[in-house]
Amino acid sequence: MSERTPKVIFENVSKSFDVKGDKLEVLESIDLTVGEGELVCLLGPSGCGKSTLLNIAGGFEQPSSGTIKIDGELITAPDPRRVFVFQEYGIFPWASVWDNVVLGLRHLSKDKQYEIASEIIDLVGLSGFEKTYPMALSGGMKQRVEVARALAVSPDVLYMDEPFGALDSLTRLTMRSELIRIWKDRKPTILFVTHDVDEAIQLAERVVVFTGRPGSIAGVIPIDLEHPRDLGSAQYGVIKNKLYELLGVSHLI
Amino acid sequence: MTTPLIVIAVAALCFLIGTRGSARVQNILLPLSVTAILVGLWDLACVLTDTQVFPTPAKTWAAFGEIVESERLWGDTVASLFRVTWGFLLAAAVGIPLGLVVGWSTRTFRALNPIIQGLRPISPIAWIPIAILWFGIGDGAGIFLIFLSSFFPITVGTMAAVRNISLVHQRSAMNFQMTGLELFRRVVFPASLPQIITSLRISLGVAWLVIVAAEMVGMDSGLGYLINDARNAGSRYDLVVATMIIIGLIGIVLDLLIRQLEKFDEVRWGYVNR
């Protein structure tokens, strides 16, 4: 990890909201450096501010204090070089799969659009569905469209906010291995928010564990296992124990 | 006395048979038999009260034929539809763009929403004197009144639709740096379209209600005028009821037509998961 060029740098990021005159602290002095091409999972209980941190990184919200820099550049607004993948389907239901995927390519020539979009649609396994509208697709396929729309612009960074949270558990497993395949193919930097311990261990090179509100970093666990990872291996169990410990919950129930 | 009783009995029997049928049979037989029972009761009431003014179903049916043959029906229907069509289209042409802008821009919303909300509760009927003052008795006044009656539901419906656009779609648009006209064309308008169509449907229904009232008070043609004329020209209540039924049937056809808009792939998503 240490030899990687730093890509995303969070420096002392805090965030609070005003709720009916009271100050609600959501994030407390987050310091984190994510390397270029790294896949990092932000793991924590609901309401710990991990999604807020992602929204700040995406430029949708401003930190109350602290800074986020990508390639040394201060983040103040959303940018197509860094694309967000939402849990609740950010793709446009009024547009076909094809029109969704070419959204970020609209300034390119038709030929170029065709070349990139057909390659990406093939990569996410949606060939043959180009003219279909999202309403007719399953949840997993909708998320594939959203990932394709994001990848089409060749972003440096992908922000994924519990992207598979709304899917059934089997589809979720498939989508995780697909994500790993695509990540290895394209090598974007990925910040992946989840509250699912297994998901974090299956995906991440490093897991950043958050405490409850106000969210701060409880610890960072590197996972030096090759993909595909063996869910039944001894190391897997050890890492899982460590994560549960950091989260402050017992895995023995 | 016996004819309506027989009609009611046969219709009730059909109703009972219908309840045991498949969904398709029910969809046809149940409404038909209920309608037949109501017509039977209407006829029975006429016989029992021995009314000399209110028409029986048979008289109404005859009046129906009379209006159709007199060729007045065609002219008055066209007059009503002409006013509704133009008033409605003008209201949509102004109301949809205005609603999109007012709904999207918070400052415009703050400036205009109180005025819109203040004018909205004024019944279009209350505008009739002013409509006649400005446009005289004729199509102009009718179109103006229909414009008013459709403009507010369309504008307010479009505003609400825009303000309901989900945060993830707004953020997706921001993420891909959409601004200005492109943002409206690719996101704001299509995201609001299902609800806009619903408000169009509601306002077309209201427009059809309003035109009849307007024609009864301030115009000299149209289906509303036909009703008034039939009553004034010798209490022809058979013509009144026949015209009412025609108004109802045209209303159904208008609604069926505008509902076709809900069937396009671009908007169907808006009617399923809500």
Side-chain angles (χ1 to χ4, degrees), chain B residues 91-105 108-109 112 116 151-163 165 184 188-189 192 196 199:
Chain B
V94 181
I96 293 173
L98 182 69
L100 288 174
V101 172
V102 177
W104 187 254
S105 147
T108 321
F109 181 82
L112 295 185
I116 294 171
F151 172 74
F152 290 105
I154 291 174
T155 308
V156 172
T158 306
M159 275 160 56
V162 172
R163 297 179 76 80
I165 295 175
F184 272 83
V188 180
F189 180 65
S192 327
I196 292 176
S199 65

PDB file of all heavy atoms in Angstrom, chain B residues 91-105 108-109 112 116 151-163 165 184 188-189 192 196 199:
ATOM      1  N   ALA B  91     -53.073  26.633 -21.996  1.00  0.00           N
ATOM      2  CA  ALA B  91     -52.719  26.497 -20.580  1.00  0.00           C
ATOM      3  C   ALA B  91     -51.518  25.574 -20.420  1.00  0.00           C
ATOM      4  O   ALA B  91     -50.615  25.845 -19.622  1.00  0.00           O
ATOM      5  CB  ALA B  91     -53.906  25.961 -19.791  1.00  0.00           C
ATOM      6  N   ALA B  92     -51.476  24.469 -21.201  1.00  0.00           N
ATOM      7  CA  ALA B  92     -50.338  23.545 -21.120  1.00  0.00           C
ATOM      8  C   ALA B  92     -49.077  24.214 -21.643  1.00  0.00           C
ATOM      9  O   ALA B  92     -47.996  24.093 -21.055  1.00  0.00           O
ATOM     10  CB  ALA B  92     -50.636  22.266 -21.905  1.00  0.00           C
ATOM     11  N   ALA B  93     -49.221  24.968 -22.740  1.00  0.00           N
ATOM     12  CA  ALA B  93     -48.053  25.611 -23.353  1.00  0.00           C
ATOM     13  C   ALA B  93     -47.440  26.651 -22.421  1.00  0.00           C
ATOM     14  O   ALA B  93     -46.226  26.860 -22.427  1.00  0.00           O
ATOM     15  CB  ALA B  93     -48.443  26.257 -24.685  1.00  0.00           C
ATOM     16  N   VAL B  94     -48.257  27.317 -21.618  1.00  0.00           N
ATOM     17  CA  VAL B  94     -47.725  28.305 -20.679  1.00  0.00           C
ATOM     18  C   VAL B  94     -47.417  27.658 -19.332  1.00  0.00           C
ATOM     19  O   VAL B  94     -46.379  27.907 -18.714  1.00  0.00           O
ATOM     20  CB  VAL B  94     -48.732  29.464 -20.475  1.00  0.00           C
ATOM     21  CG1 VAL B  94     -48.156  30.507 -19.519  1.00  0.00           C
ATOM     22  CG2 VAL B  94     -49.087  30.095 -21.803  1.00  0.00           C
ATOM     23  N   GLY B  95     -48.323  26.795 -18.865  1.00  0.00           N
ATOM     24  CA  GLY B  95     -48.228  26.246 -17.516  1.00  0.00           C
ATOM     25  C   GLY B  95     -47.062  25.287 -17.311  1.00  0.00           C
ATOM     26  O   GLY B  95     -46.416  25.322 -16.263  1.00  0.00           O
ATOM     27  N   ILE B  96     -46.783  24.431 -18.314  1.00  0.00           N
ATOM     28  CA  ILE B  96     -45.708  23.452 -18.120  1.00  0.00           C
ATOM     29  C   ILE B  96     -44.342  24.147 -18.024  1.00  0.00           C
ATOM     30  O   ILE B  96     -43.627  23.940 -17.039  1.00  0.00           O
ATOM     31  CB  ILE B  96     -45.736  22.361 -19.219  1.00  0.00           C
ATOM     32  CG1 ILE B  96     -47.004  21.510 -19.084  1.00  0.00           C
ATOM     33  CG2 ILE B  96     -44.509  21.464 -19.114  1.00  0.00           C
ATOM     34  CD1 ILE B  96     -47.218  20.506 -20.203  1.00  0.00           C
ATOM     35  N   PRO B  97     -43.962  25.007 -18.984  1.00  0.00           N
ATOM     36  CA  PRO B  97     -42.664  25.688 -18.834  1.00  0.00           C
ATOM     37  C   PRO B  97     -42.594  26.538 -17.558  1.00  0.00           C
ATOM     38  O   PRO B  97     -41.579  26.507 -16.852  1.00  0.00           O
ATOM     39  CB  PRO B  97     -42.573  26.582 -20.073  1.00  0.00           C
ATOM     40  CG  PRO B  97     -43.535  26.016 -21.048  1.00  0.00           C
ATOM     41  CD  PRO B  97     -44.610  25.350 -20.264  1.00  0.00           C
ATOM     42  N   LEU B  98     -43.686  27.240 -17.259  1.00  0.00           N
ATOM     43  CA  LEU B  98     -43.678  28.070 -16.048  1.00  0.00           C
ATOM     44  C   LEU B  98     -43.501  27.195 -14.797  1.00  0.00           C
ATOM     45  O   LEU B  98     -42.692  27.502 -13.922  1.00  0.00           O
ATOM     46  CB  LEU B  98     -44.985  28.866 -15.952  1.00  0.00           C
ATOM     47  CG  LEU B  98     -45.076  29.818 -14.752  1.00  0.00           C
ATOM     48  CD1 LEU B  98     -44.099  30.967 -14.929  1.00  0.00           C
ATOM     49  CD2 LEU B  98     -46.498  30.352 -14.582  1.00  0.00           C
ATOM     50  N   GLY B  99     -44.238  26.088 -14.743  1.00  0.00           N
ATOM     51  CA  GLY B  99     -44.134  25.190 -13.597  1.00  0.00           C
ATOM     52  C   GLY B  99     -42.739  24.607 -13.461  1.00  0.00           C
ATOM     53  O   GLY B  99     -42.223  24.459 -12.343  1.00  0.00           O
ATOM     54  N   LEU B 100     -42.102  24.285 -14.590  1.00  0.00           N
ATOM     55  CA  LEU B 100     -40.744  23.735 -14.549  1.00  0.00           C
ATOM     56  C   LEU B 100     -39.784  24.754 -13.941  1.00  0.00           C
ATOM     57  O   LEU B 100     -38.986  24.430 -13.060  1.00  0.00           O
ATOM     58  CB  LEU B 100     -40.270  23.355 -15.956  1.00  0.00           C
ATOM     59  CG  LEU B 100     -40.908  22.126 -16.614  1.00  0.00           C
ATOM     60  CD1 LEU B 100     -40.442  21.979 -18.059  1.00  0.00           C
ATOM     61  CD2 LEU B 100     -40.581  20.852 -15.841  1.00  0.00           C
ATOM     62  N   VAL B 101     -39.876  26.005 -14.391  1.00  0.00           N
ATOM     63  CA  VAL B 101     -38.943  27.037 -13.909  1.00  0.00           C
ATOM     64  C   VAL B 101     -39.233  27.374 -12.449  1.00  0.00           C
ATOM     65  O   VAL B 101     -38.325  27.402 -11.611  1.00  0.00           O
ATOM     66  CB  VAL B 101     -39.045  28.303 -14.796  1.00  0.00           C
ATOM     67  CG1 VAL B 101     -38.240  29.438 -14.184  1.00  0.00           C
ATOM     68  CG2 VAL B 101     -38.556  27.997 -16.200  1.00  0.00           C
ATOM     69  N   VAL B 102     -40.519  27.584 -12.121  1.00  0.00           N
ATOM     70  CA  VAL B 102     -40.863  27.958 -10.749  1.00  0.00           C
ATOM     71  C   VAL B 102     -40.526  26.815  -9.789  1.00  0.00           C
ATOM     72  O   VAL B 102     -40.064  27.041  -8.667  1.00  0.00           O
ATOM     73  CB  VAL B 102     -42.359  28.332 -10.636  1.00  0.00           C
ATOM     74  CG1 VAL B 102     -42.734  28.658  -9.197  1.00  0.00           C
ATOM     75  CG2 VAL B 102     -42.664  29.534 -11.514  1.00  0.00           C
ATOM     76  N   GLY B 103     -40.745  25.575 -10.236  1.00  0.00           N
ATOM     77  CA  GLY B 103     -40.442  24.438  -9.375  1.00  0.00           C
ATOM     78  C   GLY B 103     -38.955  24.263  -9.153  1.00  0.00           C
ATOM     79  O   GLY B 103     -38.505  23.871  -8.080  1.00  0.00           O
ATOM     80  N   TRP B 104     -38.161  24.564 -10.172  1.00  0.00           N
ATOM     81  CA  TRP B 104     -36.722  24.309 -10.079  1.00  0.00           C
ATOM     82  C   TRP B 104     -35.993  25.433  -9.335  1.00  0.00           C
ATOM     83  O   TRP B 104     -35.144  25.184  -8.490  1.00  0.00           O
ATOM     84  CB  TRP B 104     -36.123  24.123 -11.472  1.00  0.00           C
ATOM     85  CG  TRP B 104     -34.696  23.693 -11.434  1.00  0.00           C
ATOM     86  CD1 TRP B 104     -33.606  24.455 -11.714  1.00  0.00           C
ATOM     87  CD2 TRP B 104     -34.191  22.394 -11.070  1.00  0.00           C
ATOM     88  NE1 TRP B 104     -32.460  23.717 -11.558  1.00  0.00           N
ATOM     89  CE2 TRP B 104     -32.786  22.461 -11.161  1.00  0.00           C
ATOM     90  CE3 TRP B 104     -34.801  21.200 -10.662  1.00  0.00           C
ATOM     91  CZ2 TRP B 104     -31.971  21.361 -10.863  1.00  0.00           C
ATOM     92  CZ3 TRP B 104     -33.979  20.113 -10.378  1.00  0.00           C
ATOM     93  CH2 TRP B 104     -32.600  20.202 -10.476  1.00  0.00           C
ATOM     94  N   SER B 105     -36.332  26.683  -9.660  1.00  0.00           N
ATOM     95  CA  SER B 105     -35.595  27.805  -9.082  1.00  0.00           C
ATOM     96  C   SER B 105     -36.258  28.263  -7.786  1.00  0.00           C
ATOM     97  O   SER B 105     -37.394  28.718  -7.778  1.00  0.00           O
ATOM     98  CB  SER B 105     -35.540  28.957 -10.088  1.00  0.00           C
ATOM     99  OG  SER B 105     -35.544  30.194  -9.411  1.00  0.00           O
ATOM    100  N   THR B 108     -37.426  31.980  -7.816  1.00  0.00           N
ATOM    101  CA  THR B 108     -38.659  32.192  -8.584  1.00  0.00           C
ATOM    102  C   THR B 108     -39.851  31.632  -7.817  1.00  0.00           C
ATOM    103  O   THR B 108     -40.924  32.222  -7.798  1.00  0.00           O
ATOM    104  CB  THR B 108     -38.554  31.498  -9.956  1.00  0.00           C
ATOM    105  OG1 THR B 108     -37.238  31.675 -10.448  1.00  0.00           O
ATOM    106  CG2 THR B 108     -39.537  32.075 -10.938  1.00  0.00           C
ATOM    107  N   PHE B 109     -39.629  30.488  -7.177  1.00  0.00           N
ATOM    108  CA  PHE B 109     -40.703  29.880  -6.393  1.00  0.00           C
ATOM    109  C   PHE B 109     -41.162  30.830  -5.291  1.00  0.00           C
ATOM    110  O   PHE B 109     -42.344  31.066  -5.110  1.00  0.00           O
ATOM    111  CB  PHE B 109     -40.210  28.554  -5.785  1.00  0.00           C
ATOM    112  CG  PHE B 109     -41.248  27.828  -4.986  1.00  0.00           C
ATOM    113  CD1 PHE B 109     -42.194  27.032  -5.616  1.00  0.00           C
ATOM    114  CD2 PHE B 109     -41.273  27.936  -3.596  1.00  0.00           C
ATOM    115  CE1 PHE B 109     -43.154  26.357  -4.881  1.00  0.00           C
ATOM    116  CE2 PHE B 109     -42.244  27.265  -2.852  1.00  0.00           C
ATOM    117  CZ  PHE B 109     -43.180  26.475  -3.494  1.00  0.00           C
ATOM    118  N   LEU B 112     -43.130  33.798  -6.938  1.00  0.00           N
ATOM    119  CA  LEU B 112     -44.384  33.586  -7.658  1.00  0.00           C
ATOM    120  C   LEU B 112     -45.391  32.673  -6.956  1.00  0.00           C
ATOM    121  O   LEU B 112     -46.588  32.769  -7.204  1.00  0.00           O
ATOM    122  CB  LEU B 112     -44.098  33.028  -9.060  1.00  0.00           C
ATOM    123  CG  LEU B 112     -43.352  33.965 -10.007  1.00  0.00           C
ATOM    124  CD1 LEU B 112     -43.252  33.342 -11.384  1.00  0.00           C
ATOM    125  CD2 LEU B 112     -44.051  35.319 -10.102  1.00  0.00           C
ATOM    126  N   ILE B 116     -49.564  32.542  -7.286  1.00  0.00           N
ATOM    127  CA  ILE B 116     -50.229  31.389  -7.907  1.00  0.00           C
ATOM    128  C   ILE B 116     -51.216  30.763  -6.931  1.00  0.00           C
ATOM    129  O   ILE B 116     -52.358  30.472  -7.279  1.00  0.00           O
ATOM    130  CB  ILE B 116     -49.172  30.362  -8.374  1.00  0.00           C
ATOM    131  CG1 ILE B 116     -48.326  30.960  -9.505  1.00  0.00           C
ATOM    132  CG2 ILE B 116     -49.843  29.075  -8.841  1.00  0.00           C
ATOM    133  CD1 ILE B 116     -47.127  30.121  -9.901  1.00  0.00           C
ATOM    134  N   PHE B 151     -54.904  26.229 -16.406  1.00  0.00           N
ATOM    135  CA  PHE B 151     -53.588  26.792 -16.159  1.00  0.00           C
ATOM    136  C   PHE B 151     -53.097  26.521 -14.730  1.00  0.00           C
ATOM    137  O   PHE B 151     -51.956  26.097 -14.534  1.00  0.00           O
ATOM    138  CB  PHE B 151     -53.634  28.303 -16.422  1.00  0.00           C
ATOM    139  CG  PHE B 151     -52.393  29.025 -16.033  1.00  0.00           C
ATOM    140  CD1 PHE B 151     -51.238  28.905 -16.798  1.00  0.00           C
ATOM    141  CD2 PHE B 151     -52.359  29.818 -14.887  1.00  0.00           C
ATOM    142  CE1 PHE B 151     -50.089  29.571 -16.422  1.00  0.00           C
ATOM    143  CE2 PHE B 151     -51.201  30.484 -14.516  1.00  0.00           C
ATOM    144  CZ  PHE B 151     -50.065  30.361 -15.294  1.00  0.00           C
ATOM    145  N   PHE B 152     -53.968  26.722 -13.741  1.00  0.00           N
ATOM    146  CA  PHE B 152     -53.503  26.566 -12.357  1.00  0.00           C
ATOM    147  C   PHE B 152     -53.203  25.122 -11.982  1.00  0.00           C
ATOM    148  O   PHE B 152     -52.125  24.844 -11.451  1.00  0.00           O
ATOM    149  CB  PHE B 152     -54.481  27.248 -11.393  1.00  0.00           C
ATOM    150  CG  PHE B 152     -54.428  28.743 -11.519  1.00  0.00           C
ATOM    151  CD1 PHE B 152     -55.420  29.441 -12.160  1.00  0.00           C
ATOM    152  CD2 PHE B 152     -53.322  29.446 -11.038  1.00  0.00           C
ATOM    153  CE1 PHE B 152     -55.346  30.824 -12.304  1.00  0.00           C
ATOM    154  CE2 PHE B 152     -53.244  30.821 -11.188  1.00  0.00           C
ATOM    155  CZ  PHE B 152     -54.246  31.517 -11.810  1.00  0.00           C
ATOM    156  N   PRO B 153     -54.099  24.162 -12.277  1.00  0.00           N
ATOM    157  CA  PRO B 153     -53.716  22.777 -11.966  1.00  0.00           C
ATOM    158  C   PRO B 153     -52.469  22.317 -12.710  1.00  0.00           C
ATOM    159  O   PRO B 153     -51.637  21.610 -12.145  1.00  0.00           O
ATOM    160  CB  PRO B 153     -54.935  21.948 -12.381  1.00  0.00           C
ATOM    161  CG  PRO B 153     -55.992  22.877 -12.788  1.00  0.00           C
ATOM    162  CD  PRO B 153     -55.505  24.272 -12.723  1.00  0.00           C
ATOM    163  N   ILE B 154     -52.305  22.738 -13.969  1.00  0.00           N
ATOM    164  CA  ILE B 154     -51.124  22.293 -14.727  1.00  0.00           C
ATOM    165  C   ILE B 154     -49.859  22.915 -14.134  1.00  0.00           C
ATOM    166  O   ILE B 154     -48.867  22.230 -13.892  1.00  0.00           O
ATOM    167  CB  ILE B 154     -51.262  22.666 -16.223  1.00  0.00           C
ATOM    168  CG1 ILE B 154     -52.363  21.823 -16.878  1.00  0.00           C
ATOM    169  CG2 ILE B 154     -49.934  22.456 -16.956  1.00  0.00           C
ATOM    170  CD1 ILE B 154     -52.671  22.218 -18.317  1.00  0.00           C
ATOM    171  N   THR B 155     -49.895  24.217 -13.856  1.00  0.00           N
ATOM    172  CA  THR B 155     -48.718  24.885 -13.312  1.00  0.00           C
ATOM    173  C   THR B 155     -48.354  24.318 -11.938  1.00  0.00           C
ATOM    174  O   THR B 155     -47.197  23.963 -11.683  1.00  0.00           O
ATOM    175  CB  THR B 155     -48.972  26.400 -13.189  1.00  0.00           C
ATOM    176  OG1 THR B 155     -49.429  26.881 -14.436  1.00  0.00           O
ATOM    177  CG2 THR B 155     -47.706  27.136 -12.799  1.00  0.00           C
ATOM    178  N   VAL B 156     -49.354  24.228 -11.066  1.00  0.00           N
ATOM    179  CA  VAL B 156     -49.084  23.741  -9.710  1.00  0.00           C
ATOM    180  C   VAL B 156     -48.640  22.280  -9.745  1.00  0.00           C
ATOM    181  O   VAL B 156     -47.702  21.881  -9.037  1.00  0.00           O
ATOM    182  CB  VAL B 156     -50.331  23.928  -8.815  1.00  0.00           C
ATOM    183  CG1 VAL B 156     -50.142  23.250  -7.474  1.00  0.00           C
ATOM    184  CG2 VAL B 156     -50.610  25.416  -8.628  1.00  0.00           C
ATOM    185  N   GLY B 157     -49.272  21.463 -10.603  1.00  0.00           N
ATOM    186  CA  GLY B 157     -48.877  20.056 -10.726  1.00  0.00           C
ATOM    187  C   GLY B 157     -47.447  19.920 -11.222  1.00  0.00           C
ATOM    188  O   GLY B 157     -46.682  19.091 -10.725  1.00  0.00           O
ATOM    189  N   THR B 158     -47.068  20.741 -12.199  1.00  0.00           N
ATOM    190  CA  THR B 158     -45.708  20.686 -12.727  1.00  0.00           C
ATOM    191  C   THR B 158     -44.700  21.145 -11.669  1.00  0.00           C
ATOM    192  O   THR B 158     -43.643  20.530 -11.485  1.00  0.00           O
ATOM    193  CB  THR B 158     -45.588  21.569 -13.989  1.00  0.00           C
ATOM    194  OG1 THR B 158     -46.588  21.176 -14.917  1.00  0.00           O
ATOM    195  CG2 THR B 158     -44.222  21.430 -14.632  1.00  0.00           C
ATOM    196  N   MET B 159     -45.038  22.224 -10.950  1.00  0.00           N
ATOM    197  CA  MET B 159     -44.163  22.690  -9.869  1.00  0.00           C
ATOM    198  C   MET B 159     -43.916  21.581  -8.851  1.00  0.00           C
ATOM    199  O   MET B 159     -42.778  21.313  -8.457  1.00  0.00           O
ATOM    200  CB  MET B 159     -44.827  23.869  -9.137  1.00  0.00           C
ATOM    201  CG  MET B 159     -44.598  25.215  -9.763  1.00  0.00           C
ATOM    202  SD  MET B 159     -45.851  26.424  -9.218  1.00  0.00           S
ATOM    203  CE  MET B 159     -45.698  26.351  -7.447  1.00  0.00           C
ATOM    204  N   ALA B 160     -45.001  20.942  -8.431  1.00  0.00           N
ATOM    205  CA  ALA B 160     -44.881  19.879  -7.423  1.00  0.00           C
ATOM    206  C   ALA B 160     -44.043  18.733  -7.973  1.00  0.00           C
ATOM    207  O   ALA B 160     -43.209  18.161  -7.256  1.00  0.00           O
ATOM    208  CB  ALA B 160     -46.262  19.382  -7.022  1.00  0.00           C
ATOM    209  N   ALA B 161     -44.233  18.405  -9.255  1.00  0.00           N
ATOM    210  CA  ALA B 161     -43.471  17.313  -9.859  1.00  0.00           C
ATOM    211  C   ALA B 161     -41.979  17.625  -9.822  1.00  0.00           C
ATOM    212  O   ALA B 161     -41.158  16.778  -9.473  1.00  0.00           O
ATOM    213  CB  ALA B 161     -43.929  17.093 -11.297  1.00  0.00           C
ATOM    214  N   VAL B 162     -41.632  18.859 -10.168  1.00  0.00           N
ATOM    215  CA  VAL B 162     -40.219  19.240 -10.191  1.00  0.00           C
ATOM    216  C   VAL B 162     -39.634  19.189  -8.777  1.00  0.00           C
ATOM    217  O   VAL B 162     -38.526  18.706  -8.567  1.00  0.00           O
ATOM    218  CB  VAL B 162     -40.043  20.648 -10.795  1.00  0.00           C
ATOM    219  CG1 VAL B 162     -38.614  21.130 -10.636  1.00  0.00           C
ATOM    220  CG2 VAL B 162     -40.446  20.638 -12.257  1.00  0.00           C
ATOM    221  N   ARG B 163     -40.406  19.671  -7.821  1.00  0.00           N
ATOM    222  CA  ARG B 163     -39.891  19.688  -6.451  1.00  0.00           C
ATOM    223  C   ARG B 163     -39.797  18.284  -5.870  1.00  0.00           C
ATOM    224  O   ARG B 163     -39.156  18.088  -4.830  1.00  0.00           O
ATOM    225  CB  ARG B 163     -40.741  20.613  -5.582  1.00  0.00           C
ATOM    226  CG  ARG B 163     -40.677  22.058  -6.077  1.00  0.00           C
ATOM    227  CD  ARG B 163     -41.508  23.010  -5.271  1.00  0.00           C
ATOM    228  NE  ARG B 163     -40.924  23.349  -3.988  1.00  0.00           N
ATOM    229  CZ  ARG B 163     -39.952  24.242  -3.822  1.00  0.00           C
ATOM    230  NH1 ARG B 163     -39.461  24.865  -4.859  1.00  0.00           N
ATOM    231  NH2 ARG B 163     -39.476  24.497  -2.635  1.00  0.00           N
ATOM    232  N   ILE B 165     -38.497  15.715  -7.631  1.00  0.00           N
ATOM    233  CA  ILE B 165     -37.457  14.953  -8.322  1.00  0.00           C
ATOM    234  C   ILE B 165     -36.490  14.410  -7.279  1.00  0.00           C
ATOM    235  O   ILE B 165     -36.036  15.133  -6.402  1.00  0.00           O
ATOM    236  CB  ILE B 165     -36.709  15.840  -9.332  1.00  0.00           C
ATOM    237  CG1 ILE B 165     -37.660  16.293 -10.436  1.00  0.00           C
ATOM    238  CG2 ILE B 165     -35.536  15.076  -9.949  1.00  0.00           C
ATOM    239  CD1 ILE B 165     -37.028  17.261 -11.407  1.00  0.00           C
ATOM    240  N   PHE B 184     -32.704  20.817 -18.087  1.00  0.00           N
ATOM    241  CA  PHE B 184     -34.160  20.781 -18.166  1.00  0.00           C
ATOM    242  C   PHE B 184     -34.624  19.716 -19.149  1.00  0.00           C
ATOM    243  O   PHE B 184     -35.542  18.959 -18.878  1.00  0.00           O
ATOM    244  CB  PHE B 184     -34.709  22.157 -18.573  1.00  0.00           C
ATOM    245  CG  PHE B 184     -34.937  23.044 -17.382  1.00  0.00           C
ATOM    246  CD1 PHE B 184     -33.894  23.767 -16.835  1.00  0.00           C
ATOM    247  CD2 PHE B 184     -36.185  23.117 -16.795  1.00  0.00           C
ATOM    248  CE1 PHE B 184     -34.097  24.562 -15.720  1.00  0.00           C
ATOM    249  CE2 PHE B 184     -36.395  23.903 -15.680  1.00  0.00           C
ATOM    250  CZ  PHE B 184     -35.343  24.631 -15.141  1.00  0.00           C
ATOM    251  N   VAL B 188     -34.867  17.470 -15.684  1.00  0.00           N
ATOM    252  CA  VAL B 188     -35.999  18.080 -14.979  1.00  0.00           C
ATOM    253  C   VAL B 188     -37.324  17.741 -15.664  1.00  0.00           C
ATOM    254  O   VAL B 188     -38.272  17.281 -15.018  1.00  0.00           O
ATOM    255  CB  VAL B 188     -35.816  19.610 -14.870  1.00  0.00           C
ATOM    256  CG1 VAL B 188     -36.994  20.229 -14.139  1.00  0.00           C
ATOM    257  CG2 VAL B 188     -34.520  19.930 -14.156  1.00  0.00           C
ATOM    258  N   PHE B 189     -37.388  17.930 -16.985  1.00  0.00           N
ATOM    259  CA  PHE B 189     -38.638  17.653 -17.696  1.00  0.00           C
ATOM    260  C   PHE B 189     -39.002  16.163 -17.701  1.00  0.00           C
ATOM    261  O   PHE B 189     -40.105  15.795 -17.268  1.00  0.00           O
ATOM    262  CB  PHE B 189     -38.589  18.230 -19.118  1.00  0.00           C
ATOM    263  CG  PHE B 189     -39.830  17.980 -19.906  1.00  0.00           C
ATOM    264  CD1 PHE B 189     -41.036  18.550 -19.530  1.00  0.00           C
ATOM    265  CD2 PHE B 189     -39.798  17.159 -21.025  1.00  0.00           C
ATOM    266  CE1 PHE B 189     -42.201  18.313 -20.246  1.00  0.00           C
ATOM    267  CE2 PHE B 189     -40.964  16.920 -21.745  1.00  0.00           C
ATOM    268  CZ  PHE B 189     -42.157  17.493 -21.359  1.00  0.00           C
ATOM    269  N   SER B 192     -40.186  14.875 -14.345  1.00  0.00           N
ATOM    270  CA  SER B 192     -41.495  15.368 -13.889  1.00  0.00           C
ATOM    271  C   SER B 192     -42.634  14.903 -14.772  1.00  0.00           C
ATOM    272  O   SER B 192     -43.798  15.040 -14.403  1.00  0.00           O
ATOM    273  CB  SER B 192     -41.512  16.900 -13.875  1.00  0.00           C
ATOM    274  OG  SER B 192     -40.276  17.431 -13.556  1.00  0.00           O
ATOM    275  N   ILE B 196     -46.687  15.437 -14.568  1.00  0.00           N
ATOM    276  CA  ILE B 196     -47.252  16.477 -15.432  1.00  0.00           C
ATOM    277  C   ILE B 196     -48.447  15.907 -16.194  1.00  0.00           C
ATOM    278  O   ILE B 196     -49.498  16.538 -16.304  1.00  0.00           O
ATOM    279  CB  ILE B 196     -46.187  17.016 -16.411  1.00  0.00           C
ATOM    280  CG1 ILE B 196     -45.111  17.790 -15.646  1.00  0.00           C
ATOM    281  CG2 ILE B 196     -46.833  17.909 -17.477  1.00  0.00           C
ATOM    282  CD1 ILE B 196     -43.966  18.280 -16.516  1.00  0.00           C
ATOM    283  N   SER B 199     -51.420  15.752 -14.069  1.00  0.00           N
ATOM    284  CA  SER B 199     -52.086  17.044 -13.876  1.00  0.00           C
ATOM    285  C   SER B 199     -52.804  17.480 -15.156  1.00  0.00           C
ATOM    286  O   SER B 199     -53.843  18.129 -15.089  1.00  0.00           O
ATOM    287  CB  SER B 199     -51.105  18.109 -13.377  1.00  0.00           C
ATOM    288  OG  SER B 199     -50.128  18.373 -14.350  1.00  0.00           O
TER     289      SER B 199
END
